[in-house]
Amino acid sequence: MKADDMTQHLTDKDVRDIAEYTRIGLSDDEVGPMTRDLNSIIDSLAPILEYDLDGVEPTFHPIGGLANIMREDAEGVSFAQRVALENAPKQQDGSFLIPSILGDGGDR
């Protein structure tokens, strides 16, 4: 499909507004190509309109009525702290000592 054959679903202003809302930095030179790309993507979804969907209930999950099944919190037999820490590469004051992923590094 040529660019001339595309329907104008989104304008440059729409794309600028979407970019601002999603905090994506688009330069003025990028807005035009992005508008064309997004309109092309929307056009590629046109075959979906050919399906007869009358009477089909909308769903948000392909499997339908899933629900979380939670069990009651109940105390039970557990590891002793000493046993839980036996294979820890590093420990300190009865806790696991792990590498920091924030700040200046080091163990925490």
Side-chain angles (χ1 to χ4, degrees), residues 15-62:
V15 171
R16 279 190 176 90
D17 290 345
I18 292 167
E20 181 180 343
Y21 180 77
T22 57
R23 297 181 182 191
I24 296 173
L26 286 180
S27 69
D28 289 341
D29 293 337
E30 294 171 316
V31 172
M34 181 62 71
T35 303
R36 284 188 296 281
D37 289 347
L38 289 173
N39 280 310
S40 176
I41 291 167
I42 293 169
D43 277 340
S44 73
L45 299 173
I48 293 173
L49 299 174
E50 295 173 11
Y51 292 102
D52 180 14
L53 299 177
D54 286 342
V56 176
E57 291 294 320
T59 60
F60 295 97
H61 194 283

Side-chain angles (χ1 to χ4, degrees), residues 64-101:
L66 290 181
N68 287 336
I69 300 173
M70 307 293 282
R71 65 171 172 80
E72 292 294 320
D73 285 338
E75 287 187 33
V77 179
S78 184
F79 294 111
Q81 184 176 11
R82 174 190 53 76
V83 173
L85 292 170
E86 277 179 355
N87 293 317
K90 293 182 180 180
Q91 52 181 295
Q92 177 180 340
D93 301 325
S95 299
F96 292 97
L97 189 62
I98 60 170
S100 175
I101 60 170

